[in-house]
Amino acid sequence: MRLSAMGDVAMTVPVLRAFVNHHPQVKITVISRPFFEPFFEEIPNLSFFAFDEKERHKGFLGLLRLFQDLKGLNIDAFADLHNVLRSKVIRNLFALSRKKTGSVDKGRAGKKALTQSENKVFQQLPTMFARHVKVFEQLGFTVDLSHPVFPDKPILGHEILTIIGGKNHKLIGIAPFAQYDSKVYPLDLMKQVIDKLALNTTHTILLFGGGKKEIELLNSLASNKKNVINMAGQLKLQQELQLISNLDVMLSMDSGNAHIAAMLGVKVITLWGATHPYAGFSPFNQPLENSLVSDRNIFPKLPTSVYGNKKVAGYEDAMRTILPESIVLKTKNILLNH
């Protein structure tokens, strides 16, 4: 099974967890970049195979080496949950070796109809989780996602507790960035959200992100507030997963952090600009009302993009129709019921 981007990888975790619960006699090997190995560490009967894209598995000859490496594991079936050029090559090689294969249907026609400006078909498409289940059905396995099981919240280590000041407060995670600007809530409005939530001194607000520019922006959002802490660059991925697992709520864009929190059983609020949860990328096991979307009465062409990489003139301020007060209220309601 071949996986790539952070959100893509995180979305497979609840499905794989459900799979091993239903089929404990089956062993799974996940093939992905070494960085993502911590995502899968608590799943029983699952092994991780590190894809070495820079050396051993680089280029077409590297993919042939990858196939030979995988053949040595005596694999009976290959589930392609990514369906890109690299994974197609490996999948076809397994098929030629008379192994069972399955691949995810990305539903491109439905997504095109949802995002086109004219004759838009505005309806809920199958989630990525449902699409992943279909892949395993192609291989002859049923997977039931209706009663999800999540890992226990790990006990936070001394290093993390020192940074966040203990675990006596409600922990609110906020991940204000995404790969594309059309999915990022305006920072002046996000500052209002953070300032309002920080007024309650029983809340500790943890900011997540990465990269030099993002760290600088997060520092500005956290400045002069004792209970707002910029976590970017402070922890290894495994520690960050432990911390996210202990959050009471995560506020995120349509981005990888939303899916990471959801795979760990955390309540997630997502903010949507050019994209929309109807495309099938809402976080796992979250009610639709936790997805706060831009106003389609004012911006009727929404959603304009599946991934946020398409810009539409005049739609730059679509996310300003999501009011900071509504985000704060939604966050407080979740904390009250947690």
Side-chain angles (χ1 to χ4, degrees), residues 264-278:
L264 296 170
V266 175
K267 299 290 185 185
V268 182
I269 301 167
T270 41
L271 308 183
W272 301 77
T275 60
H276 194 280
Y278 275 12

Side-chain angles (χ1 to χ4, degrees), residues 32-84:
S32 191
R33 295 186 177 99
F35 177 79
F36 295 120
E37 186 170 3
F39 282 27
F40 304 96
E41 285 181 348
E42 44 51 63
I43 302 179
N45 294 337
L46 186 150
S47 301
F48 187 88
F49 184 95
F51 170 66
D52 183 3
E53 63 182 326
K54 293 182 179 177
E55 292 186 19
R56 179 166 178 78
H57 303 132
K58 182 180 180 180
F60 182 72
L61 290 177
L63 289 179
L64 295 179
R65 278 193 290 272
L66 174 61
F67 174 64
Q68 291 300 324
D69 291 345
L70 296 175
K71 269 183 70 177
L73 301 178
N74 297 316
I75 287 171
D76 298 300
F78 184 82
D80 183 356
L81 301 186
H82 201 36
N83 203 358
V84 295

Side-chain angles (χ1 to χ4, degrees), residues 62 72 95 110 112 119 160 169 177 183 245 250 274-275 315:
K112 182 180 179 181
N119 302 315
I160 298 174
H169 295 174
F177 301 113
K183 300 201 294 184
S245 186
M250 169 67 92
T275 60
Y315 274 57

Side-chain angles (χ1 to χ4, degrees), residues 5-12 36 255-256 259:
M6 185 174 288
D8 294 335
V9 178
M11 281 188 284
T12 68
F36 295 120
S255 69
H259 297 296

Side-chain angles (χ1 to χ4, degrees), residues 112-332:
K112 182 180 179 181
L114 176 67
T115 56
Q116 62 195 11
S117 296
E118 305 297 327
N119 302 315
K120 184 184 291 291
V121 183
F122 186 67
Q123 64 182 23
Q124 176 71 60
L125 298 176
T127 67
M128 283 307 299
F129 310 104
R131 295 184 189 278
H132 289 153
V133 166
K134 291 275 188 187
V135 178
F136 288 108
E137 288 176 352
Q138 293 170 34
L139 301 177
F141 297 98
T142 57
V143 182
D144 182 6
L145 300 179
S146 61
H147 302 287
V149 176
F150 298 102
D152 294 333
K153 295 183 185 298
I155 297 171
L156 296 178
H158 176 74
E159 184 180 356
I160 298 174
L161 292 174
T162 300
I163 295 170
I164 70 172
K167 177 63 175 78
N168 300 321
H169 295 174
K170 292 282 188 180
L171 295 181
I172 302 171
I174 298 182
F177 301 113
Q179 186 176 1
Y180 299 107
D181 290 343
S182 67
K183 300 201 294 184
V184 176
Y185 193 59
L187 284 185
D188 61 311
L189 298 185
M190 182 56 77
K191 187 176 187 305
Q192 291 182 37
V193 172
I194 292 170
D195 289 349
K196 286 182 170 66
L197 291 172
L199 289 174
N200 187 331
T201 55
T202 66
H203 296 160
T204 297
I205 299 165
L206 307 173
L207 306 181
F208 294 90
K212 185 178 179 182
K213 183 182 176 184
E214 288 188 7
I215 289 173
E216 290 174 0
L217 292 170
L218 291 175
N219 281 333
S220 69
L221 291 173
S223 63
N224 302 320
K225 290 182 278 291
K226 287 184 178 180
N227 59 337
V228 181
I229 302 166
N230 178 10
M231 297 305 304
Q234 297 214 55
L235 300 175
K236 297 175 183 176
L237 177 60
Q238 193 168 30
Q239 292 174 305
E240 197 162 292
L241 294 177
Q242 291 171 1
L243 178 56
I244 290 174
S245 186
N246 277 272
L247 295 177
D248 295 286
V249 63
M250 169 67 92
L251 170 62
S252 175
M253 307 304 104
D254 168 24
S255 69
N257 280 291
H259 297 296
I260 290 171
M263 79 180 191
L264 296 170
V266 175
K267 299 290 185 185
V268 182
I269 301 167
T270 41
L271 308 183
W272 301 77
T275 60
H276 194 280
Y278 275 12
F281 294 102
S282 54
F284 180 70
N285 200 44
Q286 306 297 321
L288 189 58
E289 59 265 26
N290 283 7
S291 296
L292 304 183
V293 299
S294 301
D295 193 332
R296 294 189 68 250
N297 292 317
I298 301 172
F299 297 97
K301 293 180 181 179
L302 291 175
T304 58
S305 175
V306 175
Y307 304 109
N309 54 339
K310 180 183 174 184
K311 291 186 178 181
V312 175
Y315 274 57
E316 298 83 1
D317 291 333
M319 290 189 86
R320 289 190 175 276
T321 60
I322 306 173
L323 300 180
E325 293 78 12
S326 65
I327 300 171
V328 172
L329 181 61
K330 175 65 70 176
T331 306
K332 287 181 176 178

